[in-house]
């Protein structure tokens, strides 16, 4: 769309494997689907003290778990994301505004009181490892809710990385968006070719 702007389409799917509880749900407790479209503007603007604004994104995002009532969860959002970097440190501010739904169609009318309207991602490289931290808060003093996620990935084989993630807070999955969750996950990640 010109020299500094791209149109992106993305799809993410997160499945929560539940090995230990075959009576309730086996092998997966929940799968969340997240398609989105974004306009990505590459700014690459120097701000201050070596900090550069690398991009601004605006788009539409949908999240759902594909289940029927009463376990159905979904919402649509208008998003705006801002990426900054300084040396090996990067910061992404993700913001959103929920697109309202009619009361008869809304599976989770209070989701923003748990997930708020944005989250902050901080990442860096240390030796061969990638470290990342996500912080989210609903910014409500009366019923404050938040989430924290820490990640580390490290080389295993030629194109595979090991991956460890810790999550504590609200909104890790749509089915449990309004329940506090604390979890550690381990796995492998395909890295860039």
């Amino acid at each position: 769309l010109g020299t500094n702007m791209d149109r992106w389409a993305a799809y993410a799917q997160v499945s929560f494997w539940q090995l230990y509880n075959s009576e309730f749900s086996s092998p997966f407790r929940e799968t969340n689907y997240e398609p989105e479209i974004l306009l990505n503007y590459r700014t690459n603007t120097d701000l201050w003290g070596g900090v550069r604004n690398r991009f601004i994104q605006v788009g539409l995002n949908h999240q759902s778990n594909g289940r029927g009532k009463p376990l159905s969860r979904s919402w649509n959002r208008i998003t705006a994301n801002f990426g900054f970097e300084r040396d090996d440190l990067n910061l992404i501010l993700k913001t959103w505004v929920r697109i309202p739904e009619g009361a008869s169609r809304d599976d989770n009318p209070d989701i923003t009181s748990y997930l708020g309207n944005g989250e902050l991602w901080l990442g860096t490289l240390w030796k061969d490892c990638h470290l990342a931290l996500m912080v989210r808060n609903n910014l409500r003093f009366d019923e404050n809710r938040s989430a924290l996620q820490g990640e580390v990935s490290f080389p295993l084989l030629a194109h595979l990385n090991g991956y460890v993630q810790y999550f504590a807070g609200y909104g890790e999955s749509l089915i449990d968006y309004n329940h506090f969750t604390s979890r550690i996950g381990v796995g492998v990640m395909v890295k860039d070719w």
Side-chain angles (χ1 to χ4, degrees), residues 42-63:
R42 295 182 307 280
T43 58
N44 203 21
T45 305
D46 289 325
L47 297 177
W48 67 93
V51 175
R52 294 179 0 180
N53 176 222
R54 299 288 288 174
F55 65 82
I56 298 172
Q57 298 172 335
V58 178
L60 294 172
N61 175 282
H62 169 78
Q63 279 187 320

Side-chain angles (χ1 to χ4, degrees), residues 98-111:
R98 183 175 189 195
I99 299 172
E101 298 178 45
S104 64
R105 293 184 37 210
D106 198 345
D107 301 327
N108 30 254
D110 61 346
I111 195 166

Side-chain angles (χ1 to χ4, degrees), residues 23-101:
E23 288 182 26
F24 179 73
S25 176
S26 181
F28 295 102
R29 171 165 169 66
E30 171 84 340
T31 298
N32 293 162
Y33 310 95
E34 186 174 356
E36 64 184 337
I37 57 171
L38 296 164
L39 285 177
N40 181 64
Y41 179 64
R42 295 182 307 280
T43 58
N44 203 21
T45 305
D46 289 325
L47 297 177
W48 67 93
V51 175
R52 294 179 0 180
N53 176 222
R54 299 288 288 174
F55 65 82
I56 298 172
Q57 298 172 335
V58 178
L60 294 172
N61 175 282
H62 169 78
Q63 279 187 320
S64 64
N65 65 356
R67 298 174 83 171
K69 292 199 180 280
L71 299 176
S72 174
R73 303 285 185 273
S74 68
W75 64 329
N76 298 303
R77 302 177 285 176
I78 297 171
T79 61
N81 307 320
F82 306 88
F84 305 92
E85 81 180 9
R86 181 174 187 230
D87 301 325
D88 287 337
L89 190 66
N90 60 68
L91 181 128
I92 300 174
L93 173 62
K94 295 182 174 187
T95 64
W96 55 77
V97 174
R98 183 175 189 195
I99 299 172
E101 298 178 45

